[in-house]
Amino acid sequence: MKQPLLLLSLLPFFPAFSQDLIITGVIDGPLTGGTPKAIEFYATADIPDLSLYAFGSANNGGGSDGPEFKDFTGSLNSGDFIYVSEESTEFNNFFGFMPTYASSFASINGNDAIELFYDATGDFTGSEVVIDVFGDINVDGSGEPWDYEDGWAYRSNNTGPDGSTFTIANWSFSGKNALDGETTNASATSPFPAQTFSVIPTDVSPPSWTSGYPFLINYTNTSFDIIGQINEAGTVYFVVLLDGSTAPSSAEVKAGTGSAGASTATNGFNAAALTTDVTLSISGLSSGTDYNVYVVAEDDETNPNLQASPVRLDFPIKVAITEFINDPDVDASEEWIELYNYGANAVDLTGWTISDEDNDNSSIGSLTIAAAGFVILAKSKTTFETQWLAGVSDPRVVEINIQLANGDDEIILSDNNDNLIWSLAYGNDETTRRATFLDINEDGTTRSYGSKTSPGVNRDGNDANGSLGYESNDNTTDPSAYTSTTGDVGSPLLGNHVALPIILASFNGWASDNIARLEWQTFSELNNERFDIEKSLNGNHFTLVGSLAGNGTSETIITYNFEDFHFYQSAFYRLKQVDFDGKAEYHPSIFIEKNEKSEIAIFPNPIKADVILKCPAASFQLSVINSIGQLILDQNTTKLKAEEAILKLKPGLYILRIYSDDLDYTTTLIRQ
């Protein structure tokens, strides 16, 4: 035996050598002479020069023999397997394919350990290091838990390399003599699991909501249900706060609490794994009180990923009747009602009804109204689109068998549980062909406007503040009220007579000192004049902080970036898209948290096209490890060169460390 090699002390997360080759299996076979005797190796990444690797066997617990087999040649692709066998014939007879290499150095018995070496010089004259090991080189394996006499051992998925310390928990074993009497691996009772090792990527992304989720249903004056669905198994958390309370963070929603000073009406969570609908039932609320419901989801990984910001759902649901025509030229086809969603979330109108105080009652079919969106309930979809949309079909226009009196009547909007959502009454003073209009700035504090016998509505003057109710076109010059005649354009759907113009691919943000950096992408654009960026400290009241010009009409992915240089505390941000016709659409808000704890930061994270590194040191050591523990970068560098190196990383998950005599910072990094 040679003397044991003195190995370098190794940092567990920042080794100074390559670990792209690992030991994944050993076999002591049942054929003549105990064949096949072989070792399986696996490439966890591309290996351009395999000659930098070698292995040796430690026989009978006698310690390391150092590198023995040094004949690896060529290159390997990530995911490739190679085999070194004592000989080729019996290996082929047992497995049905030839080994990659045949060498007497693979003449191993079930009590022998294996060491895998790496040497950046390739000469293996003392500078090599052990990067992986099977078995304890200083212990005779006979009778040990890792004894594979006339059997095999195989590495568990997503483990290794283990350096010079054998980790038995990372392996599975056939048991001694498991292959006795077998002639081929294919027919063996306990076959060697050749080429089954795999590296399973670590999930570092939080779950996302299935389109249309979450939403509220089955609500009364004191209760409601939340319906949620996410794209992977996980948990949904919620908290119910009084309307106007400061918006909570994701962590606060998970804990079932409100922000400091907020009044928490009720809270809780659902611990069911989600890939289908889950229902969260909430009760015990105060009748007549407005609440905000915040919902957030987390996956079920070992290290769970929580969504960055909660979704806000309004209670009660905020849908208004904003316009109608009750006395058109042709009652049988030209009546319609416009609904507006002045809440923060899409609302499912399926099963809702339009009625009056008499016997008229019409059900709304399958229909969803987007946040800050409009729909038209028309007696005839074709007639409405011909008169108002120049014949262009719009999915927001649906047919309903409405009955509106030309004289005194009311319009009552109720949900699928007969909860009153909005109502109005109008008198017998409407001119034929005139549409009655309510300004969309209505704040929703009053949702009922009288009865047939006592309408209680002042319809004179402009209702810009939402204080007067509905107004008659007989007595106003409101520019938003128009006659329903062929070719006219105006208030129905705010004059936008095509489908929603923007398909938003993503909307993300991150903090940097006193700057909030926003980035969003569009899949396509139609008639897009600009984006207005709005900011809110409580998630309820937003103010304009800037605008970016749109790209008109486009069918390609376009990236937008915006910086708010007045970011002094955590805030919500949302996008308001405005087209050239004046049509506006709001997109859901995101929450950016203020964090002033670290002098070192890297953003954005995930990284896409650019990166900014904040570091007080002029130079420092930069180390980067990939998701399976391989050191891919370890160098002294500067801020600019570090940014360049990070941008060259392939897509994936990394551990990044910045350190020197005066600082030490480690973070997880995602490269997209």
Side-chain angles (χ1 to χ4, degrees):
M1 284 293 171
K2 299 178 183 177
Q3 293 298 314
L5 294 176
L6 179 62
L7 301 180
L8 298 175
S9 177
L10 306 176
L11 288 172
F13 291 105
F14 295 90
F17 47 80
S18 173
Q19 301 183 49
D20 296 340
L21 192 68
I22 62 175
I23 305 167
T24 51
V26 292
I27 182 172
D28 180 20
L31 304 184
T32 302
T35 57
K37 298 179 184 291
I39 306 108
E40 180 188 89
F41 299 91
Y42 175 81
T44 60
D46 292 345
I47 301 177
D49 187 0
L50 195 56
S51 68
L52 304 182
Y53 297 83
F55 80 85
S57 61
N59 307 112
N60 306 317
S64 176
D65 279 338
E68 295 176 315
F69 180 84
K70 309 171 188 177
D71 297 330
F72 288 126
T73 59
S75 62
L76 289 180
N77 295 322
S78 178
D80 285 349
F81 291 89
I82 57 174
Y83 295 86
V84 183
S85 175
E86 178 188 9
E87 49 73 58
S88 299
T89 302
E90 296 299 342
F91 182 96
N92 184 47
N93 289 337
F94 190 74
F95 284 107
F97 61 90
M98 297 293 288
T100 317
Y101 301 92
S103 170
S104 60
F105 290 120
S107 181
I108 56 175
N109 296 313
N111 63 337
D112 295 337
I114 307 296
E115 293 179 292
L116 178 62
F117 299 87
Y118 175 81
D119 189 339
T121 66
D123 57 14
F124 297 100
T125 57
S127 58
E128 67 274 356
V129 290
V130 177
I131 60 173
D132 199 13
V133 65
F134 168 79
D136 189 331
I137 64 172
N138 297 308
V139 174
D140 186 329
S142 299
E144 294 294 322
W146 54 272
D147 188 350
Y148 58 101
E149 180 183 352
D150 293 338
W152 51 262
Y154 205 80
R155 179 177 288 281
S156 301
N157 288 340
N158 214 39
T159 65
D162 297 325
S164 60
T165 301
F166 177 48
T167 305
I168 193 170
N170 291 346
W171 291 78
S172 60
F173 302 89
S174 66
K176 288 182 61 175
N177 306 316
L179 295 177
D180 281 353
E182 305 290 1
T183 56
T184 68
N185 195 53
S187 61
T189 302
S190 178
F192 178 81
Q195 301 186 24
T196 59
F197 177 83
S198 65
V199 176
I200 305 170
T202 301
D203 181 4
V204 295
S205 300
S208 60
W209 296 105
T210 302
S211 178
Y213 292 84
F215 59 88
L216 304 181
I217 63 170
N218 301 329
Y219 49 88
T220 69
N221 291 329
T222 60
S223 65
F224 59 89
D225 291 341
I226 303 171
I227 306 297
Q229 186 180 126
I230 53 180
N231 66 338
E232 59 178 311
T235 304
V236 168
Y237 302 89
F238 73 88
V239 66
V240 182
L241 305 178
L242 292 174
D243 187 31
S245 299
T246 302
S249 66
S250 293
E252 288 169 329
V253 174
K254 179 178 177 179
T257 62
S259 298
S263 176
T264 303
T266 185
N267 61 71
F269 66 92
N270 181 78
L274 292 186
T275 49
T276 57
D277 283 4
V278 66
T279 301
L280 313 176
S281 296
I282 294 90
S283 60
L285 305 180
S286 298
S287 179
T289 302
D290 277 351
Y291 298 93
N292 296 141
V293 185
Y294 294 89
V295 185
V296 72
E298 183 179 66
D299 62 24
D300 65 351
E301 299 298 322
T302 303
N303 296 310
N305 301 294
L306 182 67
Q307 291 176 336
S309 58
V311 174
R312 193 189 91 183
L313 303 172
D314 293 321
F315 176 79
I317 289 176
K318 299 180 178 180
V319 177
I321 301 171
T322 47
E323 191 168 7
F324 64 94
I325 183 166
N326 65 295
D327 191 8
D329 283 335
V330 183
D331 285 342
S333 62
E334 296 178 358
E335 293 178 350
W336 52 263
I337 301 169
E338 179 186 73
L339 305 181
Y340 171 62
N341 180 1
Y342 61 101
N345 303 279
V347 176
D348 185 355
L349 302 179
T350 303
W352 288 34
T353 59
I354 293 289
S355 62
D356 63 9
E357 292 176 352
D358 299 317
N359 297 319
D360 294 332
N361 189 303
S362 301
S363 178
I364 301 175
S366 179
L367 179 64
T368 297
I369 181 171
F374 293 82
V375 297
I376 294 289
L377 310 177
K379 183 164 285 189
S380 169
K381 174 179 173 69
T382 301
T383 299
F384 180 89
E385 290 169 345
T386 299
Q387 285 191 332
W388 288 87
L389 308 183
V392 177
S393 179
D394 194 310
R396 294 170 294 170
V397 180
V398 298
E399 286 192 3
I400 181 174
N401 186 28
I402 55 176
Q403 302 290 332
L404 302 180
N406 292 341
D408 300 337
D409 204 356
E410 47 300 296
I411 305 175
I412 302 170
L413 176 66
S414 303
D415 68 11
N416 55 348
N417 287 308
D418 292 329
N419 297 304
L420 174 66
I421 302 299
W422 198 278
S423 69
L424 64 96
Y426 56 87
N428 187 18
D429 59 359
E430 310 302 328
T431 301
T432 301
R433 299 187 303 276
R434 300 272 180 164
T436 302
F437 173 80
L438 173 67
D439 191 277
I440 64 169
N441 288 329
E442 166 64 44
D443 62 9
T445 54
T446 302
R447 300 192 300 276
S448 181
Y449 291 96
S451 65
K452 182 181 296 182
T453 57
S454 178
V457 178
N458 181 348
R459 291 186 294 275
D460 295 333
N462 193 316
D463 190 27
N465 296 319
S467 60
L468 302 177
Y470 282 80
E471 52 196 71
S472 166
N473 290 327
D474 294 350
N475 302 301
T476 184
T477 57
D478 186 343
S480 294
Y482 293 88
T483 56
S484 178
T485 56
T486 301
D488 189 19
V489 295
S491 55
L493 304 182
L494 284 186
N496 178 39
H497 303 151
V498 295
L500 296 178
I502 300 301
I503 300 178
L504 196 66
S506 63
F507 181 30
N508 299 297
W510 60 94
S512 170
D513 296 325
N514 292 327
I515 303 174
R517 303 177 188 274
L518 308 179
E519 179 181 282
W520 64 96
Q521 288 184 320
T522 58
F523 281 131
S524 64
E525 300 184 19
L526 179 63
N527 199 29
N528 182 23
E529 178 187 9
R530 72 178 190 274
F531 286 99
D532 289 341
I533 299 91
E534 297 182 349
K535 176 181 179 179
S536 171
L537 299 181
N538 61 14
N540 295 318
H541 305 292
F542 286 82
T543 57
L544 181 69
V545 294
S547 297
L548 286 181
N551 279 271
T553 298
S554 170
E555 295 295 332
T556 61
I557 295 178
I558 297 176
T559 301
Y560 294 86
N561 292 278
F562 177 83
E563 296 178 338
D564 176 15
F565 291 93
H566 302 282
F567 182 69
Y568 304 117
Q569 65 184 97
S570 301
F572 290 83
Y573 290 86
R574 72 179 181 184
L575 300 176
K576 176 184 178 183
Q577 182 274 320
V578 183
D579 70 25
F580 289 105
D581 297 327
K583 165 67 172 67
E585 177 193 4
Y586 284 95
H587 294 279
S589 63
I590 62 172
F591 181 73
I592 301 180
E593 188 171 1
K594 179 73 172 178
N595 186 350
E596 299 178 340
K597 295 181 180 180
S598 176
E599 295 182 356
I600 304 175
I602 185 168
F603 45 87
N605 192 2
I607 295 170
K608 293 181 181 178
D610 60 357
V611 64
I612 297 175
L613 177 63
K614 173 190 172 185
C615 182
S619 63
F620 47 85
Q621 193 75 15
L622 173 68
S623 295
V624 180
I625 288 181
N626 65 15
S627 61
I628 58 174
Q630 301 165 337
L631 181 73
I632 61 173
L633 185 65
D634 188 17
Q635 63 185 36
N636 187 269
T637 187
T638 63
K639 173 180 173 297
L640 181 60
K641 290 183 178 180
E643 291 174 343
E644 294 174 349
I646 292 170
L647 285 176
K648 293 179 181 179
L649 294 174
K650 297 179 180 178
L653 171 69
Y654 299 91
I655 297 175
L656 178 143
R657 184 188 184 199
I658 296 172
Y659 61 101
S660 66
D661 292 339
D662 301 321
L663 54 89
D664 196 339
Y665 172 79
T666 302
T667 188
T668 300
L669 187 70
I670 301 174
R671 181 71 167 96
Q672 294 185 340

